Amino acid sequence: MKKVLVIDGQGGRIGALIVSEVKKRYPEVEIMAVGTNVTATAAMLRAGADHGATGENPVVVASKKADVIVGPTGMVIADALLGEVTEKMAVAVGKSDAPKILIPINKCNTVVVGVEEKSVADYAAMAVEKIREFL
């Protein structure tokens, strides 16, 4: 069974959108939701994630086991998401052999040039579609 790791912070809105859509389209996929805080983790669990955990060490451990990692761009930038992403988290995600699907969120002093301004829901839908390529 393929394992998708969804990482999110703050309120978990992006992660919840991803989890919900992945579960609808690919019910056989196991989803591990890791939030940088309890609110984000809870939102992703409510959306249908199979497992959930919070904090730095779960990101480090789950990044080693995932077949695909999905989350906002900030998950690979230390101190992103208002300081919720630690250096260890960013390195663990970056070093993972799993393909990473980054959702461009132009906040926290990080701007991805060449990206169209779209809604979070639009980007989430695009990310879910991209997951299919890696499953």
Side-chain angles (χ1 to χ4, degrees):
M1 177 184 296
K2 294 287 187 173
K3 295 178 183 175
V4 174
L5 169 59
V6 181
I7 301 172
D8 201 7
Q10 299 178 357
R13 179 173 166 231
I14 296 168
L17 285 168
I18 299 290
V19 168
S20 177
E21 282 303 307
V22 169
K23 273 300 178 187
K24 279 183 206 169
R25 292 189 197 188
Y26 319 110
E28 72 284 358
V29 169
E30 182 180 341
I31 300 177
M32 173 64 173
V34 178
T36 59
N37 62 63
V38 176
T39 303
T41 304
M44 292 186 283
L45 284 169
R46 280 192 305 275
D50 297 297
H51 312 282
T54 303
E56 180 179 85
N57 202 57
V59 169
V60 172
V61 172
S63 292
K64 294 174 189 172
K65 299 176 180 180
D67 294 305
V68 179
I69 302 174
V70 187
T73 311
M75 73 181 179
V76 294
I77 302 170
D79 297 334
L81 303 178
L82 300 176
E84 294 178 56
V85 177
T86 67
E87 200 172 312
K88 230 175 169 179
M89 292 167 140
V91 168
V93 172
K95 284 182 130 182
S96 174
D97 288 335
K100 291 153 241 358
I101 299 172
L102 303 176
I103 299 168
I105 304 298
N106 292 333
K107 292 185 180 177
C108 300
N109 292 326
T110 301
V111 177
V112 181
V113 296
V115 175
E116 289 182 48
E117 284 297 320
K118 294 183 181 258
S119 71
V120 170
D122 287 341
Y123 280 129
M126 291 169 68
V128 170
E129 191 58 36
K130 197 67 158 164
I131 288 170
R132 183 173 51 87
E133 294 177 25
F134 298 113
L135 294 179

